[in-house]
Amino acid sequence: MLSWVVTFLVVALIAGILGFGGIAGTSIEIAKIIFFVAVVLFLVSAVVGLARGRTRI
C-alpha cells in the first residue's frame, strides 16, 4: 500500500515540475489519503495483535 503512496508522490512531483498543477494537486491528495489509510490499518492491526496477546503452545 505504501508503494502506491510513493508512486502518486512521484507522479505529483513530475507533474509539478512540468507545470501540470491540477494533476500534481490531485496526486498529492490521493497519496495523502492512501498514506493515512495505511497508518490507520497499521494501528488497528497493532491493537488487535496486542489485545489477542501471545498464545502458549
Side-chain angles (χ1 to χ4, degrees):
M1 185 174 278
L2 289 178
S3 64
W4 284 100
V5 173
V6 173
T7 301
F8 279 109
L9 185 61
V10 168
V11 168
L13 290 173
I14 292 171
I17 289 172
L18 295 176
F20 299 108
I23 295 171
T26 303
S27 294
I28 285 291
E29 292 302 318
I30 292 172
K32 278 197 258 185
I33 291 169
I34 294 173
F35 175 75
F36 286 120
V37 167
V39 168
V40 167
L41 289 176
F42 169 74
L43 291 175
V44 168
S45 176
V47 168
V48 169
L50 288 174
R52 291 177 69 186
R54 294 185 182 176
T55 59
R56 294 184 183 177
I57 298 175

